[in-house]
Amino acid sequence: MKSERFLITGKTDKDGQSHNPAFVMTKPHTYPLFKGHKLKKEDFENKVIPPTRMVTAALNGPTYRLGLFLNHVLKDVAEKYCEGEIVQDTTHFIKEIEKLGQEGVFSDNGVKIGTLDVDALYPNINRPLAMER
Protein backbone atom coordinates (compact mmCIF):
# COMPACT_ATOMS: atom_id res chain seq x y z
CA MET A 1 0.00 0.00 0.00
CA LYS A 2 1.38 3.36 -0.98
CA SER A 3 1.68 5.97 1.71
CA GLU A 4 -0.81 8.81 1.80
CA ARG A 5 2.06 11.23 1.09
CA PHE A 6 2.83 9.43 -2.17
CA LEU A 7 -0.79 9.53 -3.31
CA ILE A 8 -0.90 13.31 -3.00
CA THR A 9 2.61 14.51 -3.86
CA GLY A 10 4.12 11.58 -5.75
CA LYS A 11 7.09 11.69 -3.36
CA THR A 12 8.14 8.53 -1.61
CA ASP A 13 9.55 8.42 1.91
CA LYS A 14 12.76 6.66 0.80
CA ASP A 15 14.09 8.09 -2.45
CA GLY A 16 12.46 11.51 -2.53
CA GLN A 17 11.18 10.87 -6.04
CA SER A 18 9.46 14.01 -7.32
CA HIS A 19 6.66 12.08 -9.02
CA ASN A 20 5.52 8.62 -9.92
CA PRO A 21 7.08 7.95 -13.34
CA ALA A 22 3.94 6.02 -14.32
CA PHE A 23 1.82 9.11 -13.65
CA VAL A 24 1.70 11.58 -16.52
CA MET A 25 -0.77 14.38 -15.97
CA THR A 26 -3.15 15.01 -18.83
CA LYS A 27 -5.84 17.56 -19.50
CA PRO A 28 -9.35 16.29 -18.80
CA HIS A 29 -11.37 15.82 -21.96
CA THR A 30 -15.09 15.78 -22.64
CA TYR A 31 -16.87 13.30 -24.86
CA PRO A 32 -20.52 12.52 -25.63
CA LEU A 33 -22.23 9.49 -24.13
CA PHE A 34 -24.95 8.53 -26.59
CA LYS A 35 -28.21 7.22 -25.11
CA GLY A 36 -29.15 4.72 -27.80
CA HIS A 37 -31.54 2.96 -25.43
CA LYS A 38 -33.87 5.95 -25.70
CA LEU A 39 -34.39 5.49 -29.43
CA LYS A 40 -37.10 3.45 -31.12
CA LYS A 41 -36.43 1.00 -33.93
CA GLU A 42 -37.63 3.54 -36.48
CA ASP A 43 -35.19 6.12 -35.13
CA PHE A 44 -32.28 3.77 -35.81
CA GLU A 45 -33.57 3.07 -39.32
CA ASN A 46 -33.87 6.82 -39.99
CA LYS A 47 -30.40 7.43 -38.50
CA VAL A 48 -31.67 9.81 -35.84
CA ILE A 49 -28.90 11.10 -33.58
CA PRO A 50 -29.63 9.80 -30.09
CA PRO A 51 -29.83 12.05 -27.03
CA THR A 52 -26.41 12.58 -25.49
CA ARG A 53 -24.93 13.40 -22.13
CA MET A 54 -21.51 15.00 -22.02
CA VAL A 55 -18.98 13.19 -19.81
CA THR A 56 -15.68 14.63 -18.60
CA ALA A 57 -12.90 12.10 -18.27
CA ALA A 58 -10.54 13.32 -15.57
CA LEU A 59 -8.27 10.26 -15.40
CA ASN A 60 -4.75 11.53 -14.72
CA GLY A 61 -6.07 15.08 -14.63
CA PRO A 62 -4.94 17.74 -12.15
CA THR A 63 -7.17 16.46 -9.32
CA TYR A 64 -6.80 12.73 -10.01
CA ARG A 65 -4.34 11.96 -7.19
CA LEU A 66 -6.32 14.10 -4.76
CA GLY A 67 -9.37 11.97 -5.61
CA LEU A 68 -7.37 8.79 -4.93
CA PHE A 69 -6.34 10.15 -1.55
CA LEU A 70 -9.85 11.26 -0.59
CA ASN A 71 -11.24 7.89 -1.65
CA HIS A 72 -8.60 6.19 0.52
CA VAL A 73 -9.56 8.34 3.54
CA LEU A 74 -13.33 8.49 3.11
CA LYS A 75 -14.15 4.95 1.95
CA ASP A 76 -13.98 3.42 5.43
CA VAL A 77 -15.86 6.37 6.95
CA ALA A 78 -18.65 6.09 4.37
CA GLU A 79 -18.93 2.32 4.75
CA LYS A 80 -19.12 2.61 8.55
CA TYR A 81 -21.61 5.51 8.46
CA CYS A 82 -23.83 3.86 5.85
CA GLU A 83 -23.43 0.30 7.09
CA GLY A 84 -26.11 -1.93 5.62
CA GLU A 85 -27.36 0.79 3.26
CA ILE A 86 -24.69 0.94 0.54
CA VAL A 87 -25.49 -0.76 -2.76
CA GLN A 88 -22.18 -1.80 -4.29
CA ASP A 89 -23.35 -2.72 -7.79
CA THR A 90 -26.28 -4.17 -9.75
CA THR A 91 -25.61 -7.74 -8.60
CA HIS A 92 -25.61 -6.64 -4.96
CA PHE A 93 -28.87 -4.72 -5.51
CA ILE A 94 -30.57 -7.76 -7.07
CA LYS A 95 -29.44 -9.98 -4.17
CA GLU A 96 -30.83 -7.47 -1.67
CA ILE A 97 -34.20 -7.37 -3.50
CA GLU A 98 -34.32 -11.19 -3.59
CA LYS A 99 -33.56 -11.29 0.14
CA LEU A 100 -36.42 -8.86 0.84
CA GLY A 101 -38.70 -11.04 -1.30
CA GLN A 102 -37.76 -14.13 0.73
CA GLU A 103 -38.51 -12.21 3.92
CA GLY A 104 -42.04 -11.56 2.60
CA VAL A 105 -41.68 -7.80 2.23
CA PHE A 106 -43.34 -7.91 -1.19
CA SER A 107 -46.16 -10.29 -0.24
CA ASP A 108 -48.46 -7.30 0.36
CA ASN A 109 -50.09 -6.33 -2.95
CA GLY A 110 -49.60 -2.66 -2.09
CA VAL A 111 -45.80 -2.89 -2.40
CA LYS A 112 -44.41 -2.03 -5.83
CA ILE A 113 -40.87 -1.62 -7.13
CA GLY A 114 -40.19 0.92 -9.84
CA THR A 115 -37.64 3.24 -11.34
CA LEU A 116 -37.71 6.89 -12.21
CA ASP A 117 -35.88 8.80 -14.92
CA VAL A 118 -36.16 12.55 -14.59
CA ASP A 119 -36.05 14.30 -17.95
CA ALA A 120 -35.25 18.02 -18.15
CA LEU A 121 -35.95 18.74 -14.49
CA TYR A 122 -34.31 22.15 -14.24
CA PRO A 123 -35.38 23.66 -17.59
CA ASN A 124 -38.98 23.24 -16.45
CA ILE A 125 -38.54 25.59 -13.50
CA ASN A 126 -40.07 29.02 -13.97
CA ARG A 127 -36.91 31.11 -13.47
CA PRO A 128 -38.56 34.43 -12.53
CA LEU A 129 -40.78 32.63 -10.01
CA ALA A 130 -37.81 30.73 -8.58
CA MET A 131 -35.83 33.96 -8.16
CA GLU A 132 -38.55 35.66 -6.08
CA ARG A 133 -37.78 35.86 -2.41
Side-chain angles (χ1 to χ4, degrees):
M1 178 69 187
K2 296 177 182 173
S3 71
E4 294 168 358
R5 181 173 179 239
F6 178 79
L7 289 172
I8 292 179
T9 65
K11 294 184 179 180
T12 62
D13 295 328
K14 293 182 181 176
D15 61 9
Q17 180 177 347
S18 64
H19 67 282
N20 178 353
F23 178 79
V24 178
M25 191 178 338
T26 60
K27 292 187 288 186
H29 61 279
T30 303
Y31 61 93
L33 177 64
F34 296 103
K35 297 185 171 189
H37 64 280
K38 296 203 175 218
L39 296 179
K40 299 176 185 147
K41 184 178 178 183
E42 306 84 49
D43 294 334
F44 281 107
E45 292 168 353
N46 295 325
K47 298 187 179 186
V48 172
I49 297 174
T52 59
R53 178 171 56 99
M54 297 308 289
V55 177
T56 301
L59 182 65
N60 293 334
T63 61
Y64 179 71
R65 286 192 291 191
L66 176 62
L68 288 176
F69 172 72
L70 289 175
N71 184 59
H72 173 74
V73 171
L74 296 176
K75 184 176 181 182
D76 293 336
V77 174
E79 287 177 354
K80 185 174 182 179
Y81 182 78
C82 301
E83 189 174 355
E85 297 178 5
I86 293 179
V87 177
Q88 299 164 349
D89 53 28
T90 303
T91 304
H92 180 240
F93 176 73
I94 291 171
K95 286 181 181 178
E96 290 294 315
I97 293 295
E98 288 173 347
K99 188 167 67 172
L100 290 172
Q102 291 169 355
E103 293 172 1
V105 172
F106 304 120
S107 61
D108 178 15
N109 288 335
V111 176
K112 305 238 186 279
I113 298 178
T115 63
L116 177 67
D117 186 7
V118 176
D119 184 31
L121 175 65
Y122 297 112
N124 294 334
I125 294 175
N126 183 329
R127 288 184 185 172
L129 182 61
M131 296 303 291
E132 288 181 13
R133 291 182 183 220

